[in-house]
Amino acid sequence: DAKTTQPTSMDCAEGRAANLPCNHSTISGNEYVYWYRQIHSQGPQYIIHGLKNNETNEMASLIITEDRKSSTLILPHATLRDTAVYYCIVRVRAAGNKLTFGGGTRVLVKP
Amino acid sequence: SAVISQKPSRDICQRGTSLTIQCQVDSQVTMMFWYRQQPGQSLTLIATANQGSEATYESGFVIDKFPISRPNLTFSTLTVSNMSPEDSSIYLCSVGIGLAGGETQYFGPGTRLLVL
């Protein structure tokens, strides 16, 4: 699976949009971009995934560049409960294929 | 998605003993995964457990130390054997949902293990 690069940490203001970048310059054509988050002392929570088109669900939006070498997770209105470590993972979507977690971005939402 | 529970939620154990962690999911799933998260670290996959076959272990993890059972499509156990303080970690199970298990993984709440 391709390696991803994320900022170690970032702060954002409550109520504002949080934009979390991820670089995956060596991504293969059959690898999806997945985002998870881990709130302190909890198991990771699935957020969203995509291949090449932008995706949106009730939690977030995922914007993938046309060359697929980078992506941005957007939390449209950050709340204090969004404080967590966010992991960007690229993975071939196949049965039994593992998730390889990097260091993630530690996001602190401030009042 | 899936609702996943783990037992125990936490435990404190003495070195040299073993602990069995249970993972229960509310629907039948083909693939189950066991991860370890050491203090301050990210998650590392221990093994993949497919019902009806032997678990597949990642490099650095062996069956004698982390035996896994997968008796049916909704349940799995991970045993941490002959524990040492270095085994103090959070142990998490996850399940693959959709596309024969390859779509998305959902995680349980984790088991926090402290070995003294």
Side-chain angles (χ1 to χ4, degrees), chain A residues 34 36 38 41 49 95 98 102, chain B residues 37 42 58 100 102-103 105 112:
Chain A
Y34 286 80
Y36 283 78
Q38 188 173 26
S41 297
H49 75 278
K98 66 181 180 182
Chain B
Q37 187 172 28
S42 190
E58 295 295 299
E103 175 76 42
Q105 286 188 28
R112 284 150 189 78

Side-chain angles (χ1 to χ4, degrees), chain B residues 25-39:
Chain B
V25 61
D26 68 342
S27 58
Q28 294 185 337
V29 295
T30 303
M31 310 300 297
M32 295 182 80
F33 307 83
W34 286 98
Y35 289 80
R36 180 177 73 179
Q37 187 172 28
Q38 295 178 299

Side-chain angles (χ1 to χ4, degrees), chain A residues 19-104:
Chain A
N19 296 284
L20 282 61
C22 179
N23 287 318
H24 30 80
S25 59
T26 59
I27 191 170
S28 301
N30 62 346
E31 288 182 310
Y32 284 71
V33 180
Y34 286 80
W35 283 83
Y36 283 78
R37 73 180 182 183
Q38 188 173 26
I39 297 170
H40 182 63
S41 297
Q42 298 182 21
Q45 179 187 22
Y46 164 77
I47 300 173
I48 199 168
H49 75 278
L51 182 63
K52 59 175 96 174
N53 297 322
N54 297 338
E55 302 287 345
T56 295
N57 63 20
E58 65 278 3
M59 290 182 66
S61 295
L62 174 60
I63 308 298
I64 302 174
T65 58
E66 192 168 344
D67 63 6
R68 301 210 324 122
K69 293 183 183 298
S70 66
S71 60
T72 300
L73 180 74
I74 301 173
L75 308 177
H77 304 286
T79 71
L80 300 180
R81 289 175 295 179
D82 291 321
T83 292
V85 178
Y86 287 76
Y87 297 99
C88 169
I89 301 167
V90 292
R91 168 183 177 263
V92 174
R93 194 178 72 171
N97 216 8
K98 66 181 180 182
L99 292 169
T100 301
F101 286 81

Side-chain angles (χ1 to χ4, degrees), chain B residues 38-56:
Chain B
Q38 295 178 299
Q41 302 297 311
S42 190
L43 283 78
T44 301
L45 181 67
I46 298 171
T48 302
N50 193 356
Q51 194 271 337
S53 63
E54 295 288 327
T56 302

Side-chain angles (χ1 to χ4, degrees), chain B residues 2-16:
Chain B
V3 177
I4 304 163
S5 60
Q6 289 186 231
K7 290 182 180 179
S9 59
R10 61 180 66 238
D11 208 341
I12 301 173
C13 301
Q14 298 297 317
R15 68 174 67 206

Side-chain angles (χ1 to χ4, degrees), chain B residues 92-108:
Chain B
L92 300 119
C93 70
S94 73
V95 301
I97 300 290
L99 197 69
E103 175 76 42
T104 302
Q105 286 188 28
Y106 297 90
F107 286 81

